[in-house]
Amino acid sequence: MDPVESVKTTSIGVFFSMGSKFEEYSQNGISHFIEHMLFRTNKFYESSQAVEIVESIGGKINAFTTKEYVCVYSKVLSENTGKLIQVLFNLIMYPSFEDRDIESEKKIITNEIHYYEDRYNERCQNNLIEASWKGHPLSQRILGTVESIGDFNNKTLAEYYNSNLCGDRIVISISGLIEKNLLNSLEKYFSRICSKAKYEQKEIEKISFKPKYIKESKSLKQHYLSIGYQCFSYSSKKIVPFLILHTIFGSGFSSILYKALRKDKELIYSVGTLPLIYKEGGIFLINTSSPSLHSIHMLIGEIKKVIEELKKNGINLNELLKAKSMIKSQYAFSLESIDSRMMELGKIEVLDISKNNDFYKTPNQIDDIFQLIEKITVDNINEVLFELFSKEPSVSIIEGIT
């Protein structure tokens, strides 16, 4: 609960500890499939009727699935939170998983899978993750595969969902103007959900990173490139200097990579780094593309030169101070949105990460987070830099052939 008295709206998210990393291989994609099914026919609503009810009171409602959790989220004028909580409860508690809806969603999600397969930057990145983490649950795609979702039916969906529908796997996160009867409404409805799951959630082992080289060729005018380095989990004590390094090296127009590859050498249109971090480990991605007229191996060589130069010279104080200001500003900007505040609170709780790392605090503890950032030194950054880039990376290429 995050009261913000200066606004007139309330943002609510219901987070389920249910994502692709908890799925068996044969059921890959079931969490995402269920997310879609929550908005179809249930005990109280026809398909899409819940969305229409929320929109009729001026609100918005949606959902998403990650590798670690599912979130159903909504925002309304605070005077309408009682009605919203009733709708959220009915959506979550009473899905029907009717055959006609299941067959319809199979077609929709199959189209979604094909859509992302044709987004070559994401395809290139996914190829790298699947090869480097092969056999680990985090290598599985959130959407599943056409084959895995094709086997879903009423029984498999209902059994999987009901085994996860329990109080110890659900977090409700709220930010904004809190109406006086809000807690009573929450208790009235959500206290009906059983408090403990019948089955223990499976333990996920730490990631074993295996450097791989993956290459596809397509009739395209661009090469797509992902380079991935093994990195830290979100419980690591090195997470703060690592995120600062990410900002310096590959985040934004003033990053080292952007200036070296675009501004100085004009080899690319865009380049950036992406840290994907989980409880079991992480991967640090360098993602870019270049015209197929250029050699993709020449681009890889230029990136390696930038990294070797960075390892040799390290990060300087001016770069560190600038990155600290950027990170603090970005965090402060996000806290001006009750949607962002709600999402951050929900994520911290459903992943249970605050007890292992002081960096993950509630929005009201922003001064503590700023102090952690300010304590980081140049030596801290350079230690993480050398540890990160001294490991052999994986390389994924989609080669454009014209």
Side-chain angles (χ1 to χ4, degrees):
M1 190 83 71
D2 174 42
V4 180
E5 299 297 327
S6 60
V7 299
K8 297 292 186 184
T9 57
T10 307
S11 186
I12 302 177
V14 183
F15 294 74
F16 302 81
S17 180
M18 186 176 75
S20 58
K21 82 172 186 179
F22 298 113
E23 299 165 356
E24 299 299 330
Y25 179 78
S26 61
Q27 292 186 324
N28 182 210
I30 195 168
S31 300
H32 173 258
F33 201 100
I34 288 169
E35 174 225 310
H36 278 230
M37 292 298 297
L38 293 179
F39 290 88
R40 302 301 292 245
T41 306
N42 75 7
K43 181 178 177 181
F44 293 97
Y45 309 127
E46 292 298 317
S47 186
S48 302
Q49 189 180 359
V51 176
E52 293 172 10
I53 292 170
V54 174
E55 290 181 348
S56 73
I57 56 174
K60 60 180 184 179
I61 186 169
N62 211 331
F64 63 89
T65 303
T66 74
K67 289 179 183 281
E68 297 181 295
Y69 59 89
V70 174
C71 176
V72 180
Y73 62 97
S74 187
K75 185 177 186 179
V76 292
L77 288 170
S78 297
E79 63 200 52
N80 293 322
T81 49
K83 180 65 175 177
L84 174 61
I85 288 169
Q86 181 184 15
V87 172
L88 285 172
F89 177 76
N90 289 340
L91 272 182
I92 289 161
M93 197 66 184
Y94 301 111
S96 296
F97 300 120
E98 292 191 1
D99 290 340
R100 65 183 182 189
D101 291 332
I102 293 171
E103 293 309 310
S104 174
E105 284 299 334
K106 284 180 181 180
K107 295 175 184 176
I108 290 168
I109 295 173
T110 295
N111 288 336
E112 189 177 0
I113 290 169
H114 293 325
Y115 169 78
Y116 282 105
E117 285 178 346
D118 287 342
R119 292 178 62 163
Y120 292 106
N121 55 337
E122 296 192 30
R123 177 176 178 147
C124 188
Q125 175 181 299
N126 286 334
N127 288 347
L128 185 146
I129 292 169
E130 289 175 358
S132 303
W133 292 350
K134 187 175 182 180
H136 192 277
L138 280 166
S139 70
Q140 297 185 145
R141 299 194 181 190
I142 294 167
L143 303 184
T145 65
V146 174
E147 292 74 25
S148 64
I149 69 170
D151 292 333
F152 295 160
N153 56 41
N154 174 279
K155 184 173 183 289
T156 56
L157 293 170
E159 285 181 354
Y160 188 86
Y161 184 60
N162 290 332
S163 70
N164 285 282
L165 186 64
C166 50
D168 61 348
R169 292 187 192 167
I170 294 176
V171 169
I172 301 175
S173 177
I174 303 172
S175 182
L177 185 61
I178 308 299
E179 290 288 300
K180 62 180 180 180
N181 294 322
L182 179 58
L183 286 175
N184 290 336
S185 295
L186 285 171
E187 186 174 355
K188 173 184 175 182
Y189 289 104
F190 284 90
S191 61
R192 304 180 205 175
I193 296 176
C194 69
S195 59
K196 191 168 179 61
K198 294 180 181 178
Y199 308 102
E200 290 292 322
Q201 204 160 39
K202 71 174 184 178
E203 284 291 321
I204 311 296
E205 63 185 9
K206 289 189 176 181
I207 295 166
S208 176
F209 182 92
K210 301 177 182 68
K212 298 290 183 180
Y213 178 84
I214 312 101
K215 182 179 177 181
E216 279 190 81
S217 296
K218 293 283 181 182
S219 179
L220 300 167
K221 294 183 178 180
Q222 291 272 306
H223 301 304
Y224 293 88
L225 172 66
S226 287
I227 301 174
Y229 289 85
Q230 180 182 356
C231 71
F232 311 97
S233 77
Y234 49 60
S235 60
S236 169
K237 299 299 182 184
K238 297 179 181 179
I239 199 69
V240 180
F242 168 65
L243 294 174
I244 293 174
L245 174 62
H246 154 61
T247 301
I248 295 170
F249 182 65
S251 178
F253 297 148
S254 60
S255 70
I256 290 171
L257 267 181
Y258 187 89
K259 288 191 286 189
L261 299 181
R262 174 166 167 162
K263 187 176 179 182
D264 295 344
K265 301 199 174 179
E266 302 174 342
L267 292 173
I268 51 91
Y269 174 67
S270 68
V271 65
T273 53
L274 177 64
L276 297 177
I277 50 178
Y278 305 96
K279 178 182 178 182
E280 298 78 15
I283 192 165
F284 183 64
L285 295 166
I286 301 169
N287 294 324
T288 190
S289 61
S290 71
S292 55
L293 295 173
H294 297 167
S295 166
I296 188 66
H297 297 288
M298 180 265 289
L299 179 58
I300 294 171
E302 291 296 332
I303 292 173
K304 288 182 177 179
K305 284 180 188 177
V306 174
I307 292 172
E308 289 305 313
E309 189 73 14
L310 194 59
K311 286 167 62 180
K312 178 182 175 183
N313 298 327
I315 298 299
N316 62 48
L317 181 59
N318 287 337
E319 290 169 326
L320 173 58
L321 294 176
K322 180 180 176 182
K324 285 181 177 181
S325 293
M326 290 176 66
I327 289 176
K328 289 194 296 183
S329 296
Q330 289 163 5
Y331 189 73
F333 295 159
S334 72
L335 296 187
E336 294 177 0
S337 160
I338 62 168
D339 297 341
S340 297
R341 294 170 73 98
M342 177 275 291
M343 287 292 182
E344 186 69 12
L345 277 169
K347 183 178 75 171
I348 287 171
E349 289 300 319
V350 77
L351 299 179
D352 196 25
I353 55 179
S354 60
K355 68 180 182 182
N356 295 318
N357 199 311
D358 291 337
F359 182 64
Y360 300 98
K361 299 281 189 179
T362 66
N364 293 326
Q365 296 172 295
I366 186 171
D367 290 337
D368 294 338
I369 293 172
F370 280 11
Q371 286 178 17
L372 279 175
I373 294 169
E374 286 301 334
K375 287 179 181 177
I376 302 302
T377 66
V378 169
D379 287 343
N380 296 146
I381 303 294
N382 288 330
E383 179 186 346
V384 168
L385 184 161
F386 198 81
E387 181 179 348
L388 179 70
F389 290 129
S390 293
K391 302 166 185 170
E392 184 182 355
S394 286
V395 177
S396 174
I397 296 167
I398 296 180
E399 183 183 37
I401 300 173
T402 54

